[in-house]
Amino acid sequence: MRSLLCGTDKCVPYCEKVMKNMIEQLKNTKDLPDDDLKAIIESSDSEKELFEVADTVRKQHYGIDVYIRGLIEFTNHCKNDCFYCGIRKSNQNVKRYRLTKEEILSCSQNGYDLGFRTFVLQGGEDLYYTEGMICEIVSEIKSNHPDCAVTLSIGERSLETYQRWFDAGADRYLLRHETANEEHYKKLHPTGMFLENRKRCLWDLKEIGFQVGSGFMVGSPFQTTDFLIEDIRFLQELQPDMIGIGPYISHQHTPFHSYQSGDFHKTLRLIAILRLMFPYALIPATTALGTIDNQGREMGLKAGANIVMPNLSPLKNRKQYELYDNKICTDEEAAECRMCLEKRVESAGYRIVTDVGHVLRGSRG
Ligand code: SAM
Ligand code: FES
């Protein structure tokens, strides 16, 4: 593929026309050469145009519908020590908690009554919950709510374990690859954690038949635009159903506490780029986006996102699942959270639907 950049000084940084052509090409071919992608990621000059085109594509596939996912953060214990994460094993300031099966079922019942048809069980990598316990929790949620989907987001496991969870009824799995660059991965994680294993998990999940979500943080320490392009290229290989990206936000009790948080507008541009490359994908306007900017989730939707994830976790535990500083939505009951988001989504020109919200595979192409 040839770059649209003319390579002369005449249009540096990049003239409006060149940028416009690149956005159009991205929309039509769902791809761009690295140099052109780099220009769109780095420059805010044509982002208004970029967001409009991404919104048009999103509307072609999903209309103004926004799917909601009820997030149940059921454990903040973790055996891992990711340098960026507030609930990492070595953070002694965290008051640790685990929800019982009954508490998890009660969160999902509450969610069901509020119109949720997908439950996302997320947590640290906590081996207290055995393979069998997760099977039991998943199958009880599914038997209580046969019209709902269950998503798991509990880290790296063996193919056999994933298979059992799938057989127990889990429909989807979220596992961000975090960064597709080996060197960068090593800078974000301690020894003993391997990008290769994370990728292996994603391929296993896909092979088993899960709807798979991957993604990365924007602006994580040591990230470069070239690394972001590697992230995008990896997603092109994986062809995930869901793509979760949000800004990196620093946490005071991690080794990365002094690193700056990611750039809000760059995150929005990446959402828009991903919408144009993966028109069918389920892309959330994340809580991290809403934390870094009060209008973050609304702007995320306008840039191409089509999912929001209100919190269904018990109020008493919300602040204990603090992945980054000042995380929002820790003071409202599930019903309030749901209503607040409904208003926000409407104010942005979209509508929340009561729907299981599977990926529209038919529109993949
Ligand atoms: N343990 C599971 C896993 O590793 O996939 C799920 C929980 S983990 C906390 C969920 C996601 O939170 C991670 O994939 C990471 O991208 C994000 N995250 C962690 N720390 C963050 C931070 N400081 N800023 C923004 N996002 C963060
Ligand atoms: Fe395990 Fe963050 S280090 S969830």
Side-chain angles (χ1 to χ4, degrees):
M1 212 186 311
R2 276 191 48 218
S3 166
L4 287 167
L5 300 177
C6 64
T8 68
D9 296 348
K10 275 188 233 144
C11 63
V12 171
Y14 304 116
C15 64
E16 219 175 282
K17 196 165 157 230
V18 169
M19 290 294 275
K20 211 174 154 182
N21 288 345
M22 288 195 293
I23 294 167
E24 205 48 34
Q25 184 176 331
L26 179 58
K27 177 181 156 223
N28 294 335
T29 65
K30 305 182 188 77
D31 204 0
L32 275 184
D34 288 358
D35 283 346
D36 299 1
L37 266 183
K38 198 168 181 168
I40 300 186
I41 293 172
E42 289 181 350
S43 164
S44 58
D45 292 350
S46 298
E47 67 178 26
K48 190 168 169 279
E49 172 102 32
L50 175 69
F51 299 157
E52 278 168 14
V53 176
D55 188 46
T56 308
V57 168
R58 164 250 162 65
K59 283 181 175 147
Q60 276 165 8
H61 293 266
Y62 288 97
I64 58 165
D65 290 356
V66 171
Y67 298 137
I68 45 172
R69 312 305 199 198
L71 186 60
I72 306 175
E73 297 159 335
F74 69 98
T75 173
N76 69 353
H77 288 257
C78 189
K79 70 177 177 61
N80 293 334
D81 231 354
C82 308
F83 297 139
Y84 45 82
C85 180
I87 60 168
R88 63 197 298 270
K89 175 178 71 181
S90 298
N91 184 0
Q92 306 287 332
N93 299 283
V94 179
K95 195 165 165 250
R96 304 285 170 175
Y97 73 92
R98 291 186 172 110
L99 300 190
T100 61
K101 183 177 83 176
E102 289 66 34
E103 284 178 304
I104 297 172
L105 294 177
S106 142
C107 291
S108 57
Q109 182 60 52
N110 185 20
Y112 190 85
D113 297 339
L114 290 167
F116 288 87
R117 295 296 176 264
T118 289
F119 304 108
V120 181
L121 304 187
Q122 195 187 76
E125 286 197 25
D126 182 1
L127 299 181
Y128 165 87
Y129 296 90
T130 59
E131 192 184 283
M133 279 163 82
I134 298 290
C135 283
E136 233 181 87
I137 294 166
V138 169
S139 62
E140 284 204 36
I141 296 180
K142 293 290 285 197
S143 80
N144 293 345
H145 311 294
D147 53 339
C148 291
V150 172
T151 305
L152 294 175
S153 177
I154 46 180
E156 299 171 33
R157 294 293 185 100
S158 67
L159 176 115
E160 293 72 28
T161 299
Y162 288 148
Q163 183 69 58
R164 285 192 193 109
W165 292 345
F166 185 74
D167 295 342
D171 304 270
R172 308 187 186 127
Y173 206 99
L174 300 178
L175 186 79
R176 290 181 176 182
H177 64 276
E178 312 295 2
T179 172
N181 178 278
E182 196 71 59
E183 290 312 305
H184 189 212
Y185 193 88
K186 284 190 198 143
K187 289 190 169 167
L188 299 181
H189 301 94
T191 46
M193 291 185 72
F194 303 99
L195 175 59
E196 202 188 329
N197 193 52
R198 208 146 176 102
K199 287 186 174 172
R200 189 268 307 157
C201 288
L202 286 162
W203 291 113
D204 284 353
L205 289 160
K206 217 177 141 94
E207 194 185 309
I208 290 167
F210 279 97
Q211 290 176 42
V212 173
S214 195
F216 52 88
M217 291 172 287
V218 178
S220 59
F222 315 109
Q223 187 179 66
T224 63
T225 308
D226 287 337
F227 292 166
L228 284 169
I229 291 170
E230 284 186 57
D231 287 323
I232 292 172
R233 299 297 177 214
F234 172 67
L235 292 174
Q236 284 180 315
E237 262 179 70
L238 183 70
Q239 290 289 315
D241 302 292
M242 290 108 40
I243 304 175
I245 67 164
Y248 159 74
I249 304 178
S250 74
H251 186 290
Q252 56 183 325
H253 296 126
T254 65
F256 286 165
H257 63 90
S258 57
Y259 286 88
Q260 262 189 7
S261 295
D263 183 82
F264 174 53
H265 280 263
K266 191 191 273 187
T267 311
L268 294 175
R269 292 197 290 280
L270 277 151
I271 289 177
I273 289 168
L274 292 170
R275 170 59 63 208
L276 295 178
M277 286 187 143
F278 305 91
Y280 62 84
L282 300 165
I283 302 178
T286 59
T287 308
L289 201 58
T291 298
I292 207 156
D293 187 287
N294 180 38
Q295 287 292 301
R297 286 165 299 176
E298 291 85 330
M299 288 175 74
L301 293 172
K302 289 183 183 172
N306 59 340
I307 301 275
V308 288
M309 299 175 74
N311 206 314
L312 293 178
S313 313
L315 207 47
K316 67 178 166 60
N317 302 115
R318 294 273 185 90
K319 282 198 170 41
Q320 293 159 271
Y321 200 86
E322 201 176 55
L323 307 179
Y324 41 80
D325 289 336
N326 306 315
K327 187 174 168 227
I328 55 166
C329 305
T330 55
D331 291 319
E332 297 94 17
E333 285 290 357
E336 284 174 78
C337 223
R338 162 83 165 78
M339 281 193 5
C340 161
L341 266 173
E342 180 140 1
K343 279 199 207 118
R344 284 176 179 270
V345 167
E346 267 172 26
S347 76
Y350 306 91
R351 65 153 183 250
I352 285 184
V353 290
T354 296
D355 191 296
V356 70
H358 285 312
V359 70
L360 298 180
R361 286 176 199 275
S363 57
R364 184 182 290 197

